[in-house]
Amino acid sequence: MAFELPPLPYAEDALEPAYSARTISFHYGKHHRTYVDTLNKLTAGTELENKTLEEVIGAVAGDAAKMPVFNNAAQVWNHTFFWNGMKPGGGGAPTGEVGERIAAAFGSHEQFVEAFKAAAVGRFGSGWAWLVLSGGQLEIVSTPNAEMPVPPAKKALLTVDVWEHAYYLDYQNRRPDWVQTFFDKLVNWEFVAANLAAAR
Ligand code: MN3
């Protein structure tokens, strides 16, 4: 059973104008699809081809000889998680438990967004910024390249892709504007709430 590109949870133009159909057509249709295709080529005929995506990531993480498999498998997982963290008409401050826990951990929603932007902008080169649950506490982390927070120590709640391919067509070099817009217009807090509930 080959690994498959999961369907987008919305139409390619559903996040306009904050995140353009042109960006999604490349980011989902080319970049994400290529990670899936490459993972299938790298695992075909090996003991990895019938494992789940999570099992593949766990099996090859930290194995220098399997770095290409890890990179492509992790990028498939990260992108699917990223797409689900956005929705049409999203953004704004979260309510309920997520809102309360963000205020408790970071002071306010605005302070949370500033801290998240700092982590995203501070990630030199390509990578990801994440909201995670770590030791029962909300925490912001960033990871390089394809790496992700490793459960069970750190459970991912939300991510923003800060590879240039994620934002260059819409925001050029302005990574802080991309992250600010993600939180103002795109973030799907129901996804975060569901991940938080599942992480306990
Ligand atoms: Mn990407």
Side-chain angles (χ1 to χ4, degrees):
M1 183 66 188
F3 298 98
E4 291 181 356
L5 180 67
L8 265 186
Y10 31 73
E12 285 198 356
D13 63 355
L15 304 181
E16 294 262 11
Y19 206 52
S20 69
R22 179 168 159 76
T23 288
I24 292 185
S25 73
F26 280 97
H27 196 184
Y28 172 74
K30 304 291 185 190
H31 290 276
H32 196 174
R33 182 181 301 279
T34 298
Y35 294 127
V36 173
D37 291 346
T38 305
L39 178 63
N40 280 321
K41 285 178 190 153
L42 291 172
T43 55
T46 77
E47 74 282 4
L48 296 173
E49 72 176 345
N50 292 315
K51 293 187 184 296
T52 66
L53 188 60
E54 287 80 3
E55 287 170 344
V56 171
I57 292 168
V60 301
D63 182 345
K66 298 278 178 61
M67 185 71 108
V69 177
F70 173 82
N71 283 339
N72 285 280
Q75 284 293 79
V76 172
W77 192 93
N78 292 348
H79 281 89
T80 301
F81 194 78
F82 167 69
W83 298 123
N84 284 306
M86 299 189 287
K87 69 172 189 177
T95 56
E97 187 191 356
V98 173
E100 290 165 14
R101 294 199 54 161
I102 282 179
F106 305 104
S108 68
H109 175 69
E110 290 71 26
Q111 285 172 289
F112 160 72
V113 173
E114 289 304 314
F116 199 103
K117 274 199 298 192
V121 172
R123 170 49 53 197
F124 187 81
S126 296
W128 302 81
W130 306 80
L131 177 66
V132 303
L133 189 68
S134 175
Q137 303 295 317
L138 295 190
E139 193 177 291
I140 296 165
V141 298
S142 79
T143 56
N145 303 316
E147 290 179 27
M148 75 258 284
V150 179
K154 292 186 190 297
K155 294 175 180 169
L157 304 177
L158 181 72
T159 193
V160 179
D161 190 339
V162 296
W163 286 57
E164 280 190 347
H165 70 226
Y167 60 88
Y168 209 84
L169 292 175
D170 289 332
Y171 297 92
Q172 294 79 50
N173 60 317
R174 304 188 312 277
R175 190 185 288 186
D177 290 356
W178 154 231
V179 178
Q180 183 72 50
T181 303
F182 179 93
F183 284 106
D184 288 347
K185 306 283 188 188
L186 297 170
V187 59
N188 177 359
W189 288 117
E190 290 84 3
F191 177 69
V192 178
N195 291 329
L196 181 60
R200 288 191 296 250

Coordinates of all heavy atoms in Angstrom, one line a residue, residues 13-76:
D13 N -8.7 27.5 -3.2 CA -8.9 29.0 -3.2 C -9.6 29.4 -1.9 O -10.0 30.6 -1.8 CB -9.6 29.5 -4.4 CG -11.0 28.9 -4.5 OD1 -11.4 28.1 -3.7 OD2 -11.7 29.4 -5.5
A14 N -9.8 28.5 -1.0 CA -10.7 28.8 0.2 C -10.0 29.7 1.2 O -10.7 30.2 2.1 CB -11.1 27.5 0.9
L15 N -8.7 29.8 1.2 CA -8.0 30.7 2.2 C -7.7 32.0 1.6 O -7.0 32.8 2.3 CB -6.8 29.9 2.7 CG -7.0 28.5 3.3 CD1 -5.7 28.0 3.8 CD2 -8.1 28.6 4.4
E16 N -8.1 32.3 0.4 CA -7.9 33.6 -0.2 C -8.5 34.7 0.6 O -9.6 34.5 1.2 CB -8.5 33.7 -1.6 CG -7.9 32.8 -2.6 CD -6.9 33.5 -3.5 OE1 -6.5 34.6 -3.2 OE2 -6.4 32.8 -4.5
P17 N -7.9 35.9 0.7 CA -6.7 36.3 0.1 C -5.5 36.1 1.0 O -4.3 36.3 0.6 CB -6.8 37.8 -0.1 CG -7.7 38.3 1.0 CD -8.6 37.1 1.3
A18 N -5.7 35.6 2.2 CA -4.6 35.5 3.2 C -3.5 34.5 2.7 O -2.3 34.6 2.9 CB -5.1 35.0 4.6
Y19 N -4.0 33.4 2.1 CA -3.1 32.4 1.5 C -3.7 32.0 0.2 O -4.8 31.4 0.1 CB -3.1 31.2 2.5 CG -1.8 30.4 2.5 CD1 -0.6 31.0 2.6 CD2 -1.9 29.0 2.3 CE1 0.6 30.3 2.6 CE2 -0.7 28.2 2.3 CZ 0.5 28.9 2.4 OH 1.7 28.1 2.4
S20 N -3.0 32.3 -0.9 CA -3.5 32.3 -2.2 C -3.6 30.9 -2.8 O -2.9 30.0 -2.4 CB -2.7 33.2 -3.1 OG -1.4 32.5 -3.4
A21 N -4.6 30.7 -3.7 CA -4.7 29.5 -4.5 C -3.4 29.2 -5.2 O -3.0 28.0 -5.3 CB -5.9 29.6 -5.4
R22 N -2.7 30.2 -5.7 CA -1.5 30.0 -6.4 C -0.4 29.4 -5.4 O 0.2 28.4 -5.8 CB -1.0 31.3 -6.9 CG 0.4 31.2 -7.7 CD 0.6 32.5 -8.4 NE 2.0 32.7 -8.7 CZ 2.7 32.1 -9.7 NH1 2.0 31.2 -10.4 NH2 4.0 32.3 -9.9
T23 N -0.3 29.9 -4.2 CA 0.6 29.3 -3.2 C 0.2 27.9 -2.9 O 1.0 27.0 -2.9 CB 0.6 30.1 -1.9 OG1 1.3 31.4 -2.2 CG2 1.3 29.4 -0.8
I24 N -1.1 27.6 -2.7 CA -1.5 26.3 -2.3 C -1.3 25.3 -3.5 O -1.0 24.1 -3.3 CB -3.0 26.3 -1.8 CG1 -3.0 27.0 -0.5 CG2 -3.5 24.8 -1.7 CD1 -4.4 27.0 0.2
S25 N -1.5 25.8 -4.7 CA -1.3 24.9 -5.9 C 0.1 24.4 -5.9 O 0.3 23.2 -6.3 CB -1.8 25.6 -7.2 OG -0.8 26.6 -7.6
F26 N 1.0 25.3 -5.6 CA 2.4 24.8 -5.6 C 2.8 24.0 -4.3 O 3.4 23.0 -4.3 CB 3.4 26.0 -5.7 CG 3.6 26.5 -7.1 CD1 2.8 27.6 -7.6 CD2 4.5 25.9 -8.0 CE1 3.0 28.0 -8.9 CE2 4.6 26.3 -9.3 CZ 3.9 27.4 -9.7
H27 N 2.3 24.6 -3.2 CA 2.7 24.1 -1.9 C 2.1 22.7 -1.6 O 2.8 21.8 -1.2 CB 2.3 25.0 -0.8 CG 3.0 24.8 0.6 ND1 2.7 25.5 1.7 CD2 4.0 23.9 0.9 CE1 3.5 25.1 2.7 NE2 4.2 24.1 2.2
Y28 N 0.8 22.6 -1.9 CA 0.2 21.3 -1.7 C 0.4 20.4 -3.0 O 0.8 19.2 -2.9 CB -1.3 21.5 -1.5 CG -2.1 20.2 -1.5 CD1 -2.1 19.3 -0.4 CD2 -3.0 19.9 -2.6 CE1 -2.8 18.1 -0.5 CE2 -3.7 18.7 -2.6 CZ -3.6 17.9 -1.5 OH -4.4 16.7 -1.6
G29 N 0.1 21.0 -4.2 CA 0.1 20.2 -5.4 C 1.5 19.8 -5.9 O 1.6 18.8 -6.6
K30 N 2.5 20.5 -5.5 CA 3.9 20.2 -6.0 C 4.7 19.7 -4.8 O 5.3 18.6 -4.8 CB 4.5 21.4 -6.6 CG 3.8 22.0 -7.8 CD 3.7 21.1 -9.0 CE 3.0 21.8 -10.2 NZ 2.8 20.8 -11.3
H31 N 4.9 20.6 -3.8 CA 5.9 20.3 -2.7 C 5.4 19.1 -1.9 O 6.1 18.1 -1.7 CB 6.1 21.5 -1.8 CG 6.9 22.6 -2.4 ND1 8.2 22.6 -2.5 CD2 6.5 23.7 -3.0 CE1 8.7 23.7 -3.1 NE2 7.6 24.4 -3.5
H32 N 4.1 19.2 -1.4 CA 3.6 18.1 -0.5 C 3.6 16.8 -1.4 O 4.0 15.7 -0.9 CB 2.3 18.4 0.0 CG 1.8 17.6 1.2 ND1 0.6 17.9 1.9 CD2 2.3 16.5 1.7 CE1 0.4 17.0 2.8 NE2 1.4 16.1 2.8
R33 N 3.1 16.9 -2.6 CA 2.9 15.7 -3.4 C 4.3 15.0 -3.7 O 4.4 13.8 -3.7 CB 2.2 16.0 -4.8 CG 2.0 14.8 -5.7 CD 1.4 15.2 -7.0 NE 0.1 15.9 -6.8 CZ -1.1 15.2 -6.6 NH1 -1.0 13.9 -6.5 NH2 -2.2 15.8 -6.4
T34 N 5.3 15.9 -3.9 CA 6.7 15.4 -4.2 C 7.2 14.6 -3.0 O 7.9 13.6 -3.2 CB 7.6 16.5 -4.6 OG1 7.1 17.1 -5.8 CG2 9.0 16.0 -4.9
Y35 N 6.9 15.1 -1.8 CA 7.4 14.3 -0.6 C 6.7 12.9 -0.6 O 7.4 11.9 -0.2 CB 7.1 15.1 0.7 CG 7.8 16.4 0.9 CD1 7.1 17.6 1.1 CD2 9.2 16.5 0.8 CE1 7.8 18.8 1.3 CE2 9.9 17.7 1.0 CZ 9.2 18.8 1.2 OH 9.8 20.0 1.4
V36 N 5.5 12.9 -0.9 CA 4.8 11.6 -0.9 C 5.4 10.7 -2.0 O 5.7 9.5 -1.7 CB 3.2 11.8 -1.2 CG1 2.6 10.4 -1.4 CG2 2.6 12.6 0.0
D37 N 5.5 11.2 -3.2 CA 6.1 10.4 -4.3 C 7.5 9.9 -4.0 O 7.8 8.8 -4.3 CB 6.1 11.3 -5.6 CG 4.7 11.6 -6.1 OD1 3.8 10.9 -5.7 OD2 4.6 12.4 -7.0
T38 N 8.3 10.8 -3.4 CA 9.7 10.4 -3.1 C 9.7 9.4 -2.0 O 10.5 8.4 -2.0 CB 10.5 11.7 -2.7 OG1 10.4 12.6 -3.7 CG2 12.0 11.3 -2.4
L39 N 8.8 9.5 -1.0 CA 8.8 8.5 0.1 C 8.4 7.2 -0.5 O 9.0 6.1 -0.1 CB 7.7 8.9 1.1 CG 7.5 8.0 2.3 CD1 8.8 7.8 3.1 CD2 6.3 8.4 3.2
N40 N 7.5 7.1 -1.4 CA 7.1 5.9 -2.1 C 8.3 5.2 -2.8 O 8.5 4.0 -2.7 CB 5.9 6.1 -3.0 CG 4.6 6.1 -2.2 OD1 4.4 5.4 -1.2 ND2 3.7 7.0 -2.6
K41 N 9.0 6.1 -3.5 CA 10.2 5.5 -4.3 C 11.2 5.0 -3.3 O 11.8 3.9 -3.5 CB 10.8 6.6 -5.1 CG 10.0 7.0 -6.4 CD 10.7 8.1 -7.1 CE 9.7 8.6 -8.2 NZ 10.0 10.0 -8.6
L42 N 11.4 5.7 -2.2 CA 12.5 5.3 -1.2 C 12.1 4.0 -0.4 O 13.0 3.3 0.0 CB 12.8 6.4 -0.3 CG 13.5 7.7 -0.9 CD1 13.5 8.8 0.2 CD2 14.9 7.3 -1.4
T43 N 10.8 3.8 -0.3 CA 10.4 2.7 0.6 C 9.9 1.5 -0.2 O 9.7 0.4 0.4 CB 9.3 3.1 1.6 OG1 8.2 3.7 0.8 CG2 9.8 4.1 2.6
A44 N 9.8 1.6 -1.5 CA 9.2 0.5 -2.3 C 10.1 -0.7 -2.2 O 11.4 -0.6 -2.4 CB 9.1 1.0 -3.8
G45 N 9.5 -1.8 -1.9 CA 10.3 -3.1 -1.8 C 11.1 -3.2 -0.6 O 11.8 -4.2 -0.4
T46 N 10.9 -2.3 0.4 CA 11.6 -2.5 1.7 C 10.6 -2.8 2.8 O 9.4 -2.8 2.5 CB 12.3 -1.1 2.1 OG1 11.3 -0.2 2.6 CG2 13.1 -0.5 0.9
E47 N 11.1 -3.1 4.0 CA 10.2 -3.5 5.1 C 9.4 -2.3 5.5 O 8.5 -2.4 6.3 CB 11.0 -4.1 6.2 CG 11.8 -3.1 7.1 CD 13.1 -2.6 6.5 OE1 13.4 -3.0 5.3 OE2 13.8 -1.9 7.1
L48 N 9.7 -1.1 5.0 CA 9.0 0.1 5.5 C 7.7 0.4 4.7 O 6.9 1.1 5.1 CB 9.9 1.4 5.3 CG 11.2 1.4 6.2 CD1 12.0 2.6 5.8 CD2 10.8 1.5 7.6
E49 N 7.6 -0.3 3.5 CA 6.5 0.1 2.6 C 5.1 -0.2 3.1 O 4.1 0.4 2.7 CB 6.7 -0.5 1.2 CG 6.4 -1.9 1.1 CD 6.5 -2.4 -0.4 OE1 6.5 -1.6 -1.3 OE2 6.7 -3.6 -0.6
N50 N 5.0 -1.1 4.1 CA 3.7 -1.5 4.6 C 3.4 -0.9 6.0 O 2.4 -1.2 6.6 CB 3.5 -3.0 4.6 CG 3.4 -3.5 3.2 OD1 2.7 -2.9 2.3 ND2 4.1 -4.6 2.9
K51 N 4.3 -0.1 6.5 CA 4.1 0.6 7.8 C 3.3 1.8 7.6 O 3.1 2.3 6.5 CB 5.5 0.9 8.4 CG 6.4 -0.3 8.8 CD 7.6 0.2 9.5 CE 8.5 -1.0 9.9 NZ 8.0 -2.0 10.8
T52 N 2.8 2.3 8.7 CA 2.1 3.6 8.7 C 3.1 4.7 8.6 O 4.3 4.5 8.9 CB 1.2 3.8 10.0 OG1 2.1 3.9 11.1 CG2 0.3 2.7 10.2
L53 N 2.7 5.9 8.3 CA 3.6 7.0 8.2 C 4.3 7.2 9.5 O 5.5 7.4 9.6 CB 2.8 8.2 7.8 CG 3.6 9.5 7.5 CD1 4.6 9.3 6.3 CD2 2.7 10.6 7.1
E54 N 3.5 7.2 10.6 CA 4.1 7.4 12.0 C 5.1 6.3 12.3 O 6.2 6.5 12.9 CB 3.0 7.4 13.0 CG 2.2 8.7 13.0 CD 1.1 8.7 11.9 OE1 0.9 7.6 11.2 OE2 0.4 9.7 11.8
E55 N 4.9 5.0 11.9 CA 5.8 3.9 12.1 C 7.1 4.1 11.3 O 8.2 3.9 11.8 CB 5.1 2.6 11.7 CG 4.1 2.2 12.7 CD 3.3 1.0 12.2 OE1 3.3 0.6 11.0 OE2 2.6 0.4 13.0
V56 N 7.0 4.6 10.1 CA 8.2 4.9 9.3 C 9.0 5.9 10.0 O 10.3 5.8 10.1 CB 7.8 5.3 7.9 CG1 9.0 5.8 7.1 CG2 7.2 4.2 7.1
I57 N 8.4 7.0 10.4 CA 9.1 8.1 11.0 C 9.8 7.6 12.3 O 11.0 7.9 12.5 CB 8.2 9.3 11.4 CG1 7.7 9.9 10.1 CG2 8.9 10.3 12.3 CD1 6.5 10.9 10.3
G58 N 9.1 6.8 13.1 CA 9.7 6.3 14.3 C 10.9 5.3 14.0 O 11.9 5.3 14.7
A59 N 10.8 4.6 12.9 CA 11.8 3.5 12.6 C 13.1 4.1 12.1 O 14.1 3.5 12.3 CB 11.2 2.6 11.5
V60 N 13.0 5.3 11.4 CA 14.2 5.8 10.8 C 14.7 7.1 11.4 O 15.8 7.5 11.1 CB 14.0 6.1 9.3 CG1 13.5 4.8 8.5 CG2 12.9 7.2 9.1
A61 N 14.0 7.6 12.4 CA 14.5 8.9 13.1 C 15.8 8.6 13.7 O 16.0 7.6 14.4 CB 13.5 9.3 14.1
G62 N 16.8 9.5 13.5 CA 18.1 9.4 14.1 C 19.0 8.5 13.4 O 20.2 8.3 13.7
D63 N 18.6 7.8 12.3 CA 19.4 6.9 11.5 C 20.0 7.6 10.3 O 19.3 7.9 9.4 CB 18.6 5.7 11.1 CG 19.4 4.6 10.3 OD1 20.5 4.9 9.8 OD2 18.9 3.5 10.1
A64 N 21.3 8.0 10.4 CA 21.9 8.8 9.4 C 21.7 8.2 8.0 O 21.5 8.9 7.0 CB 23.4 9.1 9.7
A65 N 21.8 6.9 7.9 CA 21.7 6.2 6.6 C 20.3 6.3 6.0 O 20.1 6.2 4.8 CB 22.1 4.7 6.7
K66 N 19.3 6.6 6.9 CA 17.9 6.6 6.4 C 17.4 8.1 6.4 O 16.2 8.3 6.4 CB 17.0 5.8 7.3 CG 17.4 4.3 7.3 CD 16.8 3.6 6.1 CE 17.1 2.1 6.1 NZ 16.7 1.3 7.2
M67 N 18.3 9.0 6.5 CA 17.9 10.4 6.5 C 16.9 10.8 5.4 O 15.9 11.5 5.7 CB 19.1 11.3 6.5 CG 18.8 12.8 6.7 SD 18.3 13.1 8.4 CE 19.7 14.0 9.0
P68 N 17.2 10.4 4.2 CA 16.2 10.8 3.1 C 14.8 10.2 3.4 O 13.8 10.9 3.1 CB 16.8 10.2 1.8 CG 18.3 10.1 2.1 CD 18.4 9.7 3.6
V69 N 14.7 9.0 3.9 CA 13.4 8.5 4.2 C 12.7 9.3 5.3 O 11.6 9.7 5.2 CB 13.5 7.0 4.7 CG1 12.1 6.5 5.1 CG2 14.0 6.1 3.5
F70 N 13.5 9.6 6.4 CA 13.0 10.4 7.5 C 12.5 11.8 6.9 O 11.4 12.2 7.2 CB 14.0 10.6 8.6 CG 13.5 11.6 9.6 CD1 12.7 11.2 10.6 CD2 13.9 13.0 9.5 CE1 12.2 12.1 11.5 CE2 13.4 13.9 10.5 CZ 12.5 13.5 11.5
N71 N 13.3 12.4 6.2 CA 13.0 13.8 5.7 C 11.7 13.8 4.9 O 10.8 14.6 5.1 CB 14.1 14.3 4.8 CG 15.3 14.8 5.6 OD1 15.2 15.1 6.8 ND2 16.5 14.9 5.0
N72 N 11.5 12.8 4.0 CA 10.3 12.8 3.2 C 9.1 12.4 4.0 O 8.0 13.0 3.8 CB 10.5 12.0 1.9 CG 11.4 12.7 0.9 OD1 10.9 13.6 0.2 ND2 12.7 12.4 0.9
A73 N 9.2 11.4 4.8 CA 8.1 10.9 5.7 C 7.7 12.0 6.6 O 6.5 12.3 6.8 CB 8.5 9.7 6.4
A74 N 8.7 12.7 7.3 CA 8.3 13.7 8.2 C 7.7 14.9 7.5 O 6.7 15.5 8.0 CB 9.6 14.2 9.0
Q75 N 8.2 15.2 6.3 CA 7.6 16.3 5.6 C 6.1 16.0 5.1 O 5.3 16.9 5.1 CB 8.4 16.7 4.4 CG 9.7 17.5 4.7 CD 9.3 18.9 5.3 OE1 9.0 19.0 6.5 NE2 9.4 19.9 4.5
V76 N 5.8 14.8 4.8 CA 4.5 14.4 4.5 C 3.6 14.6 5.8 O 2.5 15.2 5.7 CB 4.4 12.9 4.1 CG1 2.9 12.5 4.0 CG2 5.1 12.7 2.8

